[in-house]
Amino acid sequence: MARQISIDSDRQAAIDAAIAELSAGMPIALPTETVYGLAADATNPAAITRIYETKGRPRFNPLICHMADLEMAERYAVFDPLSRRLAELFWPGPLTLILPLKQGSAIHPLASAGLDTVGIRVPRGFAAKLIGVFDRPLAAPSANTSGKISPTSAAHVAADLGERIGLILDGGASPVGVESTILKVEDGTIRMLRPGGLSAEEIEAATGLAVIRPVDSHATIEAPGMLASHYAPEATVRLDAVHVHPGDALITFAGMQPTGFEAARLVLDLSPAGDLSEAAANLFDYLKTADASGTGRIAVTPIPQTGLGEAINDRLQRAAAPRP
């Protein structure tokens, strides 16, 4: 079983243990403000291969490479003026930018799935500190079996991958709770490839530019989180539920009580106060709790599409999609 170290109780021990594992080419579970990541040296092909093997992840699905800061990111990727502005506005934070790889970049092609672009993010807090000490980018998809519910606590990671990795760093519950927003700048326009912890409204307010959403749900995989079925529990997921069947696990929002809710096996309210930030932070934990109830069916009431609701609905739609 993986060794667990709390970064709050012994930060230096956590850094030392992480550096030892990463230097040996081994992946570790790392807390970030979005979700827990399965992190390994993005310049080491053996380390990257271990990420794919540990997760059971398709190798055509690229990995986000995490940096300590913008200066470090510039060593590996090329920034156009608008991408640089976005980085300066929102890093560190839940934003990933898809950028051209710099010629001679040390990021291994396995991390970018052979593309000439790479997803780059600067996380907040401990993760950025660790990357700065390691002085190499960390490829870090979510620390879970591929396609399953993303982890927002060390306990989630241990239950899923604890037998497959050597170290889990415990940073408590992830405060954002959904993965980063992924943007790609093309010809002076901002394309959103995946909604996430940074809302389109925040981006538009800060830049004065519209955020363009994808129109083709079967678009080429340019970034993580674009597979149709993803973030999936074992149970089937029914969205926009206005009626609850006896024995369903019900996930609701803002106190909504669909017809028949009294017959639900359990009821979990993402945010009784109707706060979308709170709902995002609770989403994956509540999906795991509902799944663990053994009902086999999860009903989810409508969630507003505004702000972080866009990311919440994106994850729910992928969780409910037909399984491959």
Side-chain angles (χ1 to χ4, degrees):
M1 194 69 179
R3 177 187 179 195
Q4 293 192 45
I5 302 177
S6 168
I7 65 172
D8 293 324
S9 60
D10 199 338
R11 180 166 292 234
Q12 192 57 52
I15 289 175
D16 292 344
I19 295 298
E21 290 283 310
L22 294 169
S23 298
M26 305 304 294
I28 65 169
L30 174 69
T32 80
E33 75 275 31
T34 56
V35 299
Y36 276 64
L38 184 65
D41 184 351
T43 71
N44 181 338
I48 298 164
T49 296
R50 290 186 182 105
I51 290 177
Y52 285 114
E53 290 174 344
T54 300
K55 284 180 62 70
R57 182 184 177 101
R59 283 168 172 75
F60 61 78
N61 197 2
L63 306 175
I64 293 173
C65 294
H66 294 68
M67 307 286 173
D69 50 34
L70 176 56
E71 181 181 0
M72 183 179 186
E74 288 178 314
R75 287 157 42 188
Y76 298 94
V78 178
F79 285 77
D80 60 89
L82 181 51
S83 293
R84 174 181 292 281
R85 185 178 172 201
L86 289 165
E88 291 171 346
L89 285 167
F90 297 113
W91 280 352
L95 169 66
T96 294
L97 294 171
I98 304 298
L99 301 163
L101 281 162
K102 204 165 195 175
Q103 188 167 3
S105 172
I107 291 174
H108 195 273
L110 279 173
S112 62
L115 301 172
D116 58 5
T117 57
V118 63
I120 289 184
R121 182 167 98 84
V122 175
R124 296 178 191 148
F126 177 83
K129 169 70 173 175
L130 175 62
I131 296 165
V133 174
F134 189 54
D135 198 33
R136 274 169 274 172
L138 294 182
S142 55
N144 58 284
T145 301
S146 185
K148 299 302 182 182
I149 304 169
S150 300
T152 54
S153 71
H156 292 164
V157 180
D160 188 357
L161 301 183
E163 300 289 343
R164 291 181 247 169
I165 59 177
L167 179 65
I168 298 172
L169 300 183
D170 186 352
S174 301
V176 175
V178 292
E179 294 83 356
S180 60
T181 299
I182 301 181
L183 302 179
K184 185 178 184 181
V185 171
E186 289 182 326
D187 300 323
T189 63
I190 303 172
R191 287 178 58 215
M192 178 183 283
L193 301 185
R194 179 181 76 183
L198 177 66
S199 72
E201 289 89 340
E202 291 176 87
I203 298 162
E204 291 173 340
T207 64
L209 298 171
V211 173
I212 309 303
R213 275 70 161 187
V215 295
D216 182 5
S217 61
H218 302 287
T220 300
I221 301 296
E222 298 180 75
M226 295 182 70
L227 297 175
S229 177
H230 208 51
Y231 317 108
E234 295 298 325
T236 60
V237 178
R238 179 164 52 90
L239 304 182
D240 297 324
V242 295
H243 178 78
V244 176
H245 303 298
D248 283 355
L250 173 64
I251 295 179
T252 187
F253 176 75
M256 292 182 195
Q257 296 180 338
T259 304
F261 80 95
E262 303 92 340
R265 176 170 294 195
L266 79 164
V267 179
L268 301 167
D269 195 327
L270 290 169
S271 174
D275 183 333
L276 287 168
S277 294
E278 181 184 21
N282 286 330
L283 176 63
F284 289 137
D285 184 46
Y286 284 13
L287 279 171
K288 284 178 178 290
T289 300
D291 202 28
S293 72
T295 174
R297 301 185 311 273
I298 301 172
V300 185
T301 62
I303 309 293
Q305 283 281 358
T306 56
L308 288 181
E310 184 174 5
I312 294 168
N313 280 289
D314 172 81
R315 302 309 188 271
L316 288 169
Q317 287 159 9
R318 296 179 195 275
R323 313 293 163 81

